[in-house]
Amino acid sequence: NRLAEAIAKLSHERIIDENPKSLNQYEMDPPHLRVDFGTDAGESQTILAGAIDPTQEYRYFRVGDGPIGLTEIKHFHELNRPLTELRDTLLVPPSESGIDRIEYARVYKGGITPKGPQRLPEVGEESVRVIVERDESGRWTMLEPVQAPAKQSRVQELVKEVQFVRGRSYVDEPAALSDYGLDPPDHRLTLRSGGAVVTLELGWAASGDTGAGIYAKIAGNPSVF
């Protein structure tokens, strides 16, 4: 919203060149920043931001095929937002009711021989699911693998941990999900909040420059974080 409002309020401090023959002198070919935007009416337009002017107080700007003008540097900074500021890193959609259903399952990744005559699961197959759900009174009940009252304090502790968890250190085009323990994942965690459902696939534990954490991805989304 803040970025959209900045675009809507953008104006020239003064016009420098009504009919520019070349954009090179303003460092707009290529520009320092390009912003493409559209309106509800179906119109689309492009903003080009060029060099800082000699006073060091303004930048050259152009909207579409219009004139070259000057606008204050602060407007450039308002538009020049990195992806990390525009991405919603909150993994569970916020809602007034909060999380009211949790599903959890481990995923078989091979390498373990079961004891006894039971069937060896397929790689990628989930173990027994654990499902807990909150009723209208606020009480948590276990639905799977058995129907029973849930341990309220333990489930509430889990809810507090995951309700406001955020992703960080995104890898938007991972070369191989196996590099993060996500092909297949180690665990699946599905959360419902306000009717919205998000499924997290969890991989290996991570450490190092990015800090401690767990590699994860949202089911259906290629990005790893």
Side-chain angles (χ1 to χ4, degrees), residues 38-51:
T39 68
D40 290 339
E43 301 171 331
S44 59
Q45 196 56 273
T46 298
I47 297 172
L48 300 181

Side-chain angles (χ1 to χ4, degrees), residues 100-122:
D100 59 12
R101 182 183 172 94
I102 301 172
E103 293 187 24
Y104 170 81
R106 289 186 174 89
V107 179
Y108 180 68
K109 304 186 73 168
I112 300 176
T113 302
K115 296 180 180 179
Q118 64 260 42
R119 179 184 66 87
L120 188 68
E122 298 290 335

Side-chain angles (χ1 to χ4, degrees), residues 6-7 9-16 28 33 47-53 55-63 67-79:
I7 293 173
K9 294 177 181 178
L10 188 66
S11 62
H12 284 139
E13 201 70 28
R14 64 178 182 275
I15 301 299
I16 299 297
M28 289 185 173
L33 176 69
I47 297 172
L48 300 181
I52 300 175
D53 83 325
T55 69
Q56 301 294 301
E57 296 181 2
Y58 302 92
R59 272 191 182 269
Y60 297 107
F61 263 75
R62 190 186 197 193
V63 179
I68 302 292
L70 291 176
T71 191
E72 292 181 79
I73 288 179
K74 65 180 182 181
H75 297 309
F76 173 83
H77 293 314
E78 194 67 27
L79 297 181

Side-chain angles (χ1 to χ4, degrees), residues 11-191:
S11 62
H12 284 139
E13 201 70 28
R14 64 178 182 275
I15 301 299
I16 299 297
D17 192 341
E18 288 282 1
N19 298 294
K21 297 295 188 287
S22 172
L23 299 179
N24 288 335
Q25 61 181 314
Y26 305 108
E27 298 183 16
M28 289 185 173
D29 189 19
H32 287 247
L33 176 69
R34 170 176 172 155
V35 180
D36 297 310
F37 66 95
T39 68
D40 290 339
E43 301 171 331
S44 59
Q45 196 56 273
T46 298
I47 297 172
L48 300 181
I52 300 175
D53 83 325
T55 69
Q56 301 294 301
E57 296 181 2
Y58 302 92
R59 272 191 182 269
Y60 297 107
F61 263 75
R62 190 186 197 193
V63 179
D65 296 327
I68 302 292
L70 291 176
T71 191
E72 292 181 79
I73 288 179
K74 65 180 182 181
H75 297 309
F76 173 83
H77 293 314
E78 194 67 27
L79 297 181
N80 189 27
R81 295 290 173 179
L83 178 60
T84 52
E85 289 189 17
L86 298 177
R87 183 198 296 273
D88 183 4
T89 59
L90 192 64
L91 302 183
V92 180
S95 68
E96 292 184 4
S97 60
I99 294 173
D100 59 12
R101 182 183 172 94
I102 301 172
E103 293 187 24
Y104 170 81
R106 289 186 174 89
V107 179
Y108 180 68
K109 304 186 73 168
I112 300 176
T113 302
K115 296 180 180 179
Q118 64 260 42
R119 179 184 66 87
L120 188 68
E122 298 290 335
V123 173
E125 185 178 337
E126 292 187 355
S127 66
V128 176
R129 293 187 304 172
V130 177
I131 301 178
V132 292
E133 191 170 279
R134 192 184 69 208
D135 62 23
E136 294 181 356
S137 70
R139 297 286 298 176
W140 289 92
T141 300
M142 180 177 291
L143 304 180
E144 292 187 21
V146 295
Q147 292 192 1
K151 188 171 183 178
Q152 304 301 304
S153 60
R154 211 57 191 271
V155 177
Q156 290 167 0
E157 181 181 343
L158 174 60
V159 169
K160 288 180 181 179
E161 287 290 336
V162 298
Q163 179 71 71
F164 302 109
V165 68
R166 291 184 177 274
R168 57 181 170 82
S169 303
Y170 279 80
V171 180
D172 291 309
E173 296 182 1
L177 293 178
S178 57
D179 293 340
Y180 307 94
L182 290 166
D183 186 22
D186 286 352
H187 315 272
R188 173 183 64 86
L189 184 64
T190 299
L191 308 165

